[in-house]
Amino acid sequence: MDEYMSCLRVWGLSCPGFPEEIGRARRWVREILGEQPCADDAVLIVSELGTNALRHTASGEPSGTFHVVLALSKHALAISVTDDGKSDTSPEVKHPGPEATQGRGLDMVSLLATHLDVRPSSHGQTVTAELVMPRSAPGSLPCS
């Protein structure tokens, strides 16, 4: 029966909408994931999604916030960033040309993630990137 059961650990972090909070969110992810095989990708994803929230939504306004959630099981890691909304556009993967100076962040996230989801809500938008954990991930986090 154990093979059909999984444990899920969830962490959340709320950050004021200041650029230096992106660094704090990266350090928080690194501290939680430690030596997990997906840690580097997760840190990059949080950086990109958090930066997008600050640049393109009300999260970057003086009273703005963004929220990060990590959900880790033996099989997958989901990284979600929720912004404060008030954007005229929805996040979308773009494939900018070589001369473009922006627009590569979500494209990069989509290449790292096995699944990328954007969900609008009454509060803002949540972008979730899912990573599959390697079958023999060393140092996996305990369920207790």
Side-chain angles (χ1 to χ4, degrees):
M1 186 70 157
D2 286 348
E3 70 189 55
Y4 297 108
M5 301 182 74
S6 66
C7 74
L8 178 66
R9 298 206 51 200
V10 179
W11 297 264
L13 176 69
S14 293
C15 298
F18 303 117
E20 59 270 18
E21 292 297 311
I22 301 298
R24 182 169 75 109
R26 284 194 305 258
R27 289 187 301 276
W28 177 77
V29 169
R30 174 65 65 195
E31 184 176 308
I32 289 169
L33 296 178
E35 297 300 316
Q36 291 291 321
C38 62
D40 291 338
D41 290 349
V43 168
L44 178 61
I45 288 169
V46 163
S47 183
E48 290 298 330
L49 297 182
T51 299
N52 283 350
L54 293 182
R55 283 190 181 159
H56 303 294
T57 75
S59 292
E61 294 177 2
S63 62
T65 61
F66 67 98
H67 310 277
V68 181
V69 174
L70 298 180
L72 179 65
S73 75
K74 289 170 55 175
H75 308 289
L77 170 66
I79 305 151
S80 298
V81 174
T82 301
D83 63 46
D84 278 349
K86 297 182 186 170
S87 175
D88 294 337
T89 61
S90 180
E92 64 179 272
V93 176
K94 298 177 183 175
H95 304 288
E99 301 300 318
T101 59
Q102 60 183 12
R104 290 183 176 81
L106 207 52
D107 187 31
M108 196 168 28
V109 170
S110 73
L111 292 172
L112 294 171
T114 55
H115 181 72
L116 185 64
D117 184 53
V118 178
R119 294 195 186 256
S121 71
S122 58
H123 174 69
Q125 300 177 97
T126 299
V127 180
T128 300
E130 297 174 9
L131 302 172
V132 173
M133 299 294 287
R135 280 201 165 296
S136 59
S140 60
L141 296 171
C143 293
S144 56

